[in-house]
Amino acid sequence: MTAPHISQDTTFRALVTEQHEDGSFSSSVRLKKISGLPQHEILIRVSYSGLNYKDALSASGHKGITRRYPHTPGIDAAGIVIESGSSEFTAGQEVIVTGYDLGMNTDGGFAGYIRVPAPWVVRKPDNLSLKECMIIGTSGFTAASAVYEFINHGILPGDGKILVTGASGAVGSMAVAMLAKAGYKVVASSGKPEFADMLKESGATEIIGRDAIDDKSGKGLLPPRWVAALDTVGGNALSTVLRSTAERGIVANCGMIASARLDVPVFPFILRAVRLIGIASAETPMKRRLEIWDLIGQKLKPDNPGKLSRSIGLGEIPEELDLMLKGRQAGKVVVEIG
């Protein structure tokens, strides 16, 4: 089913990252045409997007994320279907797109319009507005994917504490809020003490510093401190977390800010039956994707998600992405497109 035709000459504002002759990269707001979008089934007028670390990498020229420039980043988008070449969607529907190739090698959500394959599109979940979907976005979906694993592993709110590392970041802060909403006791680890109040307001019952998860004793096991953990840091932090997890606990990892290497003995796995699971949200199968978004809408949505975020316009994105690369950003930043 196709909506009324929109002119291919229609222009819209978009953030465009360009590569210069000297090899440097820069981003600025430009006018683009509908005709310049990829030839996919669903045309969406974007209302909101959100900042993610992959966007910062794409905008800085990371060829492991984006191979061709000029390019429009933005791995998240929420908006209204304008044209549909699929029977699954009709004009006027509110939809979201997170992950897949959006904003990587397919022009992304930092723009007035996107055109994407129908299998990437999700109808806006009940109990969430389009803006709330982008406050959650890929970072919140990643956090919720970990909570989904905890629940399926049988971890109940009364079983013990759950640790979140990198808790002041976009994934971590959302995980703290979601876990607290679901009734869990949350230990938030952050190397940014200035954000302790924010984490407490989000629902953390205990705040610890980075040094508390940086054990260098060489011990195969450490006293159990939590029944589950979401780690966004990697490296020795993840090793410490695993060795400090209680019997039959679960640790989910989705990041490697500290290091991509993991040096940990097998003792947590063979003596405590601790389970380590990776969280890779971009290619989540649609059935599970819908289950996780339903879980967010029904049980994990923070009471006041707006308090976890702040809004910016397209022109402010480059500065914010630079702060993200320097590790000086906290919480979620939503981009208001139109």
Side-chain angles (χ1 to χ4, degrees):
M1 183 178 296
T2 303
H5 180 71
I6 182 171
S7 170
Q8 294 297 294
D9 289 328
T10 298
T11 59
F12 58 91
R13 298 170 70 241
L15 187 80
V16 178
T17 298
E18 295 182 295
Q19 182 174 12
H20 304 292
E21 291 184 0
D22 64 358
S24 64
F25 293 81
S26 66
S27 301
S28 60
V29 178
R30 303 287 181 85
L31 285 179
K32 297 178 69 174
K33 288 186 177 182
I34 295 291
S35 59
L37 292 173
Q39 295 302 305
H40 296 305
E41 302 96 331
I42 309 296
L43 178 66
I44 299 168
R45 185 176 69 238
V46 181
S47 301
Y48 302 96
S49 185
L51 301 193
N52 294 277
Y53 193 67
K54 277 186 179 179
D55 302 322
L57 294 176
S58 175
S60 63
H62 193 299
K63 293 301 179 70
I65 302 296
T66 301
R67 295 187 296 272
R68 297 179 298 275
Y69 295 87
H71 174 68
T72 293
I75 66 171
D76 290 348
I80 310 295
V81 174
I82 300 301
E83 289 184 355
S84 173
S86 166
S87 61
E88 295 293 319
F89 300 96
T90 58
Q93 283 184 313
E94 294 184 314
V95 296
I96 59 175
V97 183
T98 62
Y100 299 104
D101 190 52
L102 184 70
M104 297 178 67
N105 293 291
T106 301
D107 281 340
F110 296 162
Y113 288 87
I114 58 172
R115 187 182 274 129
V116 297
W120 294 4
V121 183
V122 173
R123 290 182 179 84
K124 181 185 72 63
D126 294 337
N127 304 322
L128 292 169
S129 68
L130 286 175
K131 185 172 183 178
E132 287 171 340
C133 287
M134 289 296 94
I135 292 173
I136 293 165
T138 288
S139 55
F141 182 81
T142 300
S145 297
V147 181
Y148 178 88
E149 295 290 349
F150 298 160
I151 292 171
N152 287 345
H153 190 66
I155 302 296
L156 301 174
D159 289 343
K161 300 175 181 179
I162 294 185
L163 171 73
V164 177
T165 70
S168 61
V171 174
S173 60
M174 193 62 67
V176 169
M178 287 180 169
L179 287 164
K181 176 66 176 181
Y184 292 97
K185 295 179 180 178
V186 185
V187 179
S189 170
S190 174
K192 302 173 182 176
E194 64 269 27
F195 295 113
D197 289 342
M198 178 197 79
L199 292 170
K200 289 178 181 177
E201 290 177 5
S202 298
T205 57
E206 184 179 347
I207 311 292
I208 61 175
R210 288 176 183 162
D211 56 340
I213 53 166
D214 190 27
D215 178 78
K216 296 183 175 67
S217 67
K219 294 180 179 178
L221 287 173
L222 297 168
R225 300 170 63 186
W226 33 74
V227 295
L230 170 57
D231 173 61
T232 70
V233 177
N236 193 56
L238 177 55
S239 173
T240 303
V241 169
L242 285 163
R243 289 178 288 137
S244 303
T245 299
E247 186 174 352
R248 303 198 180 277
I250 180 171
V251 176
N253 170 265
C254 66
M256 53 178 187
I257 297 171
S259 174
R261 299 188 64 83
L262 176 61
D263 182 9
V264 61
V266 298
F267 297 123
F269 310 114
I270 65 173
L271 297 181
R272 288 184 180 165
V274 171
R275 179 183 174 192
L276 173 62
I277 186 165
I279 302 295
S281 63
E283 298 291 337
T284 301
M286 186 56 72
K287 181 178 182 295
R288 174 175 289 211
R289 184 177 293 268
L290 294 174
E291 289 174 353
I292 294 170
W293 274 111
D294 183 64
L295 177 66
I296 293 170
Q298 298 298 326
K299 295 183 179 180
L300 302 183
K301 173 188 170 182
D303 291 330
N304 189 351
K307 292 182 68 175
L308 301 174
S309 70
R310 54 191 175 86
S311 298
I312 65 171
L314 277 175
E316 299 170 89
I317 291 175
E319 181 179 356
E320 291 292 335
L321 293 181
D322 184 59
L323 289 173
M324 184 174 285
L325 288 173
K326 293 176 179 176
R328 292 166 51 192
Q329 193 184 70
K332 185 60 182 283
V333 177
V334 173
V335 183
E336 297 193 358
I337 306 294

